[in-house]
């Protein structure tokens, strides 16, 4: 089947999508967007989190055919600039600076989820951060560095004019 979808602000047409194909597969294998990670493919880990019409969703649980006419934003699309590489989003910067990235498999999903949290709540408490990220699993960091990253990103975003 053919799917037309907006991905990171660009209108895209994707051909030969098969019936059981996931949005995650389409992004990674057809669109050259490997940021969203495939860790469990069961909606359990959050590594594949993307925005779908502005709401975080597990791309592994969304059929590619379901995104027809909709808008997807991936971790690559959070950076500002024409190529998406000009300037990292403060959440992306904060993850790098605080050491919240180890193997990095969980990182794209955590960044999208944290980005959404800060958009909704500019000054989240630690409890609110933990609740927002409860569906995103990390095997490496022990989560403290991730909390540091979200706190730092929230402070920086709040300080922006
Ligand atoms: S790969 Fe989608 S939730 Fe784990
Ligand atoms: S950094 Fe390795 S799973 Fe989180």
């Amino acid at each position: 089947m053919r799917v037309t979808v907006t991905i990171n602000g660009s209108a895209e047409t994707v051909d030969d999508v098969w019936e059981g194909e996931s949005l995650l597969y389409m992004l990674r294998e057809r669109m050259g967007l490997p940021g969203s990670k495939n860790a469990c493919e069961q909606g359990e880990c959050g590594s594949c989190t993307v925005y779908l019409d502005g709401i975080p969703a597990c791309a592994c649980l969304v059929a590619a055919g379901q995104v027809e006419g909709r808008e997807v934003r991936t971790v690559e699309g959070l950076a500002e600039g024409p190529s998406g590489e000009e300037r990292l989003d403060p959440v992306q910067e904060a993850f790098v600076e605080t050491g919240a990235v180890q193997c990095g498999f969980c990182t794209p999903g955590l960044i999208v989820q944290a980005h959404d949290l800060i958009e909704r709540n500019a000054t989240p408490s630690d409890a609110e951060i933990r609740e927002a990220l409860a569906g995103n699993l990390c095997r490496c960091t022990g989560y403290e560095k991730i909390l540091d990253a979200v706190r730092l990103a929230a402070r920086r975003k709040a300080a922006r004019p």
Side-chain angles (χ1 to χ4, degrees):
M1 86 183 102
R2 167 174 285 189
V3 175
T4 54
V5 55
T6 300
I7 299 177
N8 296 332
S10 297
E12 306 283 354
T13 300
V14 191
D15 285 319
D16 301 325
V17 173
W18 45 277
E19 277 182 18
E21 185 168 321
S22 70
L23 171 60
L24 181 61
Y25 182 94
M26 188 174 86
L27 292 171
R28 291 178 54 84
E29 307 299 333
R30 298 186 189 273
M31 309 306 298
L33 293 169
S36 313
K37 295 290 178 278
N38 181 354
C40 73
E41 254 185 322
Q42 294 181 353
E44 299 287 345
C45 73
S47 301
C48 62
T49 305
V50 298
Y51 280 112
L52 179 56
D53 290 339
I55 296 172
C58 290
C60 71
L61 294 184
V62 177
Q66 289 178 290
V67 303
E68 171 67 32
R70 300 173 76 181
E71 196 162 322
V72 175
R73 192 176 180 198
T74 70
V75 69
E76 291 95 337
L78 298 185
E80 296 173 10
S83 65
E85 297 161 3
E86 301 276 313
R87 184 179 175 196
L88 293 179
D89 182 88
V91 180
Q92 295 170 315
E93 283 178 349
F95 268 72
V96 173
E97 289 177 27
T98 58
V101 182
Q102 290 190 21
C103 81
F105 228 79
C106 66
T107 308
L110 278 161
I111 286 176
V112 172
Q113 203 72 54
H115 184 274
D116 174 67
L117 169 66
I118 296 170
E119 290 290 306
R120 290 184 288 106
N121 177 359
T123 55
S125 66
D126 282 1
E128 288 169 331
I129 297 171
R130 288 180 192 278
E131 185 178 353
L133 303 185
N136 293 74
L137 305 184
C138 174
R139 290 188 161 192
C140 306
T141 63
Y143 297 99
E144 282 305 318
K145 300 287 186 191
I146 292 167
L147 281 170
D148 288 346
V150 180
R151 291 186 198 112
L152 176 61
R155 283 200 304 276
R156 284 200 179 150
K157 283 208 174 194
R160 277 192 170 185

